[in-house]
Amino acid sequence: MNYKFSVLGFDRIHTSTAAENAASVRVIEKIGLRYLKRDVYEEMKTLTSKDGTKIAFWRSGDGPPLLMVHGATADHSTTWRFVLPELEKRFTVYAMDRRGRGGSGNASKYELQREAEDIAAIVDSIGEPVSVIGHSYGALCAIEASLITTNIKKMILYEGIPLNGADLYQPGVLDKLDNLLEADDHEAMLYVLFKEIVEMPEDEIEVVRAQQDAWAIRLGNISTLPRELRTETDYRFEPRRFKNMQTPTLFLVGGDSPDREMKHANGVAGALPHGHVAVMPGQQHAAMYTAPEMFVNEVVRFLNELSRYMKRTWQPPVDTQEND
């Protein structure tokens, strides 16, 4: 049996066979996921962020605009592949590559503020208020972006925003990653990320690993991981910075995720004027893969509700230039 891996923005379909990874394929068969071949690939577009870095994104679908911001080691093609076809039926989807990977450029100095500016640049270029979904580290980038653009209509943030980043991980794990990177053991780095940092169960890790093209992309992006984890551990959520944020924001949490995720979601949501928390039963950090229908239902429900809060007028972008 062949499983087709759809890579939005590329001109080919990657395939793997059951013989190549029988155990992982059985995991995918068990949870009923299918890879959907995309007949049309949208052209990559880029714009210039505030610091001069080129940021790439792909536009597809039809409806109100929705920007999707992936997490660590991912790119636009990996995180959203199972949910994109359904979301495209309802929204015009903008799937970005965060800086340092895929079609986007990089900068010599890394700061979370630059990531926030990248998101704001895309949002402001669209021409109307935009909803934003951020997963994991992408959620942290997205909530920071909400402070520098007035054009975010609604946000959905799926784990990844710590109340106090210094409390997140076991001592020594970042040094372990540095040592593995120096040894070029990228496979081990990904395993440490998913097992020791995200605390994914083995079967969920296998769902990610079974997508062999996406796994290869993650391996290629692994050098961006230490800088993002250090930024995350240095982060401390400060309610006063967000006390005037009027954007309705949904915090998604897996019902089987580590207890810290619910603590963080409740803490951050409680500090926002329009913060909400929704739990996805039986899920952890990757419901886009393990329960795509549930994930899409939560997204659509929230984005279609709360419209009474959306008296938002688009403001023209500043210092942003889109390039075809």
Side-chain angles (χ1 to χ4, degrees):
M1 180 181 292
N2 287 332
Y3 286 82
K4 295 187 179 298
F5 294 88
S6 302
V7 186
L8 179 61
F10 288 74
D11 60 0
R12 63 188 182 276
I13 297 293
H14 300 269
T15 63
S16 67
T17 66
E20 290 174 323
N21 198 334
S24 296
V25 169
R26 282 195 296 272
V27 171
I28 289 179
E29 289 180 316
K30 181 178 179 181
I31 62 177
L33 300 180
R34 297 188 304 275
Y35 293 94
L36 304 176
K37 181 176 179 179
R38 301 181 63 83
D39 295 324
V40 178
Y41 294 98
E42 302 293 339
E43 179 183 0
M44 182 183 80
K45 295 184 180 296
T46 64
L47 53 71
T48 303
S49 194
K50 185 176 181 179
D51 72 342
T53 301
K54 300 292 185 183
I55 302 299
F57 62 93
W58 286 256
R59 174 178 169 168
S60 60
D62 185 50
L66 174 62
L67 175 61
M68 307 186 77
V69 187
H70 61 77
T73 75
D75 73 1
H76 79 280
S77 71
T78 59
T79 302
W80 315 114
R81 52 179 51 190
F82 295 141
V83 299
L84 187 63
E86 288 301 316
L87 292 176
E88 286 173 327
K89 297 175 183 178
R90 300 167 173 86
F91 305 99
T92 299
V93 176
Y94 295 79
M96 70 179 292
D97 279 347
R98 290 198 296 103
R99 60 176 51 210
R101 72 208 72 218
S104 292
N106 209 350
S108 57
K109 183 180 180 181
Y110 180 78
E111 296 179 24
L112 177 61
Q113 181 69 11
R114 304 289 84 79
E115 297 257 26
E117 290 168 357
D118 299 343
I119 294 170
I122 297 177
V123 166
D124 289 342
S125 76
I126 290 172
E128 61 181 297
V130 180
S131 295
V132 176
I133 299 178
H135 175 244
S136 196
Y137 191 80
L140 182 59
C141 300
I143 198 170
E144 287 296 312
S146 72
L147 297 178
I148 57 175
T149 176
T150 61
N151 293 319
I152 296 180
K153 184 178 182 181
K154 309 172 188 176
M155 284 196 299
I156 298 176
L157 307 176
Y158 183 3
E159 301 184 353
I161 303 175
L163 292 172
N164 182 14
D167 298 334
L168 279 177
Y169 309 127
Q170 294 296 321
V173 69
L174 297 183
D175 291 336
K176 179 188 290 190
L177 287 172
D178 285 338
N179 293 335
L180 290 171
L181 182 61
E182 186 174 352
D184 287 328
D185 195 345
H186 296 176
E187 286 273 354
M189 289 182 71
L190 274 185
Y191 188 79
V192 169
L193 168 64
F194 291 129
K195 185 65 176 179
E196 298 186 28
I197 295 176
V198 181
E199 298 184 35
M200 279 186 179
E202 290 290 344
D203 60 346
E204 196 165 296
I205 294 174
E206 284 305 304
V207 170
V208 179
R209 196 198 302 270
Q211 304 164 56
Q212 294 181 4
D213 66 315
W215 190 259
I217 289 169
R218 290 180 180 276
L219 290 172
N221 295 336
I222 201 69
S223 63
T224 63
L225 180 61
R227 72 186 190 184
E228 293 176 8
L229 292 180
R230 283 194 161 80
T231 299
E232 189 177 45
T233 55
D234 289 341
Y235 187 84
R236 187 179 184 89
F237 180 76
E238 300 176 14
R240 61 176 178 79
R241 297 175 63 224
F242 299 89
K243 66 181 181 180
N244 296 322
M245 192 180 89
Q246 297 302 309
T247 306
T249 303
L250 177 68
F251 294 84
L252 288 178
V253 181
D256 292 345
S257 289
D259 291 342
R260 66 169 184 260
E261 299 298 346
M262 181 60 70
K263 176 183 177 182
H264 294 163
N266 283 330
V268 178
L272 305 184
H274 302 294
H276 311 263
V277 177
V279 177
M280 294 180 289
Q283 304 307 307
Q284 292 201 351
H285 198 60
M288 304 84 60
Y289 302 146
T290 56
E293 183 176 0
M294 181 187 299
F295 180 86
V296 169
N297 286 343
E298 291 291 348
V299 169
V300 172
R301 182 181 299 115
F302 182 73
L303 295 186
N304 284 346
E305 293 176 352
L306 300 175
S307 58
R308 61 187 179 276
Y309 296 124
M310 299 300 103
K311 306 301 183 184
R312 194 67 64 89
T313 302
W314 178 78
Q315 300 296 319
V318 178
D319 295 330
T320 298
Q321 180 179 356
E322 183 174 328
N323 309 290
D324 292 331

